[in-house]
Amino acid sequence: MSFYLSLMNLTVLIPLWVTPPPPARVAVLPIDLNDLSNQRVSRELRGRMGRLTEALSARLGTACGYTIVGLGQPAQSPADAKPGYFYAHPDVAVSIVGPAEVDWVIIPRLNRASPWVADLQAHVVRVRDTVIVSNRIVEIKGLELTPELASRLVDRGAAWMADQISQSIETASGTEPAARRRCRA
């Protein structure tokens, strides 16, 4: 009888040993524009960058399974902060979102070479030690062209970048084998 009770206790405890850790908490800052061209920026680009930020956050939350901590525009940015400030100073970005209890901060920017060519680039920053564990880049061609193409590019660019960010987080965390990917583009 005591053997069966011990066996029942063991079967109750086994799920506690194999319970996966809670999903990482991720904050995504709004995408900054890094304009490398000498050409005029289209009126629609800022709105498309906002939709790209939303799509990236949504993709990391739904397809990748992370807990997304909503931030909006950081309220405590330094007075001299220019576009790209947080990208150049990830420690400041972490200090601003730190109270929100996040594990990872994503600091994206859109490197615009022309209306036809842009790269979405993102620092993946581990909050506990403010280390940039990865810098990922996804090419997005045609973001400033037709609304239909831009809509598709926002979805695909967010999916590609979410997959890249997920790989970086999982590798730096050591939580999943490299062969298994949390989310796919």
Side-chain angles (χ1 to χ4, degrees):
M1 180 73 168
S2 67
F3 171 75
Y4 291 113
L5 287 176
S6 297
L7 187 59
M8 284 179 36
N9 287 337
L10 186 60
T11 58
V12 169
L13 292 177
I14 287 175
L16 297 176
W17 290 328
V18 294
T19 303
R25 297 170 312 240
V26 177
V28 179
L29 295 183
I31 296 173
D32 261 339
L33 179 62
N34 182 27
D35 192 1
L36 305 170
S37 75
N38 60 356
Q39 300 172 354
R40 201 173 118 263
V41 176
S42 70
R43 289 178 287 144
E44 297 86 12
L45 184 59
R46 289 283 177 199
R48 291 172 184 173
M49 288 171 49
R51 287 191 297 280
L52 187 55
T53 301
E54 293 166 6
L56 178 58
S57 295
R59 181 78 181 195
L60 285 167
T62 57
C64 302
Y66 297 113
T67 301
I68 302 302
V69 178
L71 297 175
Q73 187 67 33
Q76 301 173 355
S77 60
D80 61 345
K82 295 180 173 73
Y85 181 83
F86 292 116
Y87 194 83
H89 300 93
D91 55 326
V92 176
V94 167
S95 71
I96 289 170
V97 300
E101 296 183 16
V102 298
D103 302 310
W104 300 92
V105 175
I106 310 305
I107 308 172
R109 72 177 179 182
L110 186 70
N111 299 317
R112 178 186 183 264
S114 75
W116 303 277
V117 179
D119 292 330
L120 178 59
Q121 187 173 9
H123 282 325
V124 180
V125 182
R126 186 173 44 220
V127 170
R128 73 177 145 88
D129 55 5
T130 66
V131 169
I132 299 171
V133 298
S134 186
N135 182 5
R136 297 300 182 134
I137 300 174
V138 172
E139 188 174 70
I140 301 175
K141 289 188 176 183
L143 191 60
E144 290 183 76
L145 299 180
T146 67
E148 298 81 20
L149 177 60
S151 177
R152 286 190 13 233
L153 289 171
V154 162
D155 291 340
R156 293 306 304 156
W160 291 330
M161 184 54 82
D163 181 52
Q164 296 291 314
I165 290 169
S166 176
Q167 288 178 51
S168 297
I169 290 173
E170 299 307 320
T171 300
S173 299
T175 56
E176 294 205 18
R180 185 168 167 232
R181 291 167 75 171
R182 181 181 283 267
C183 62
R184 290 193 172 274

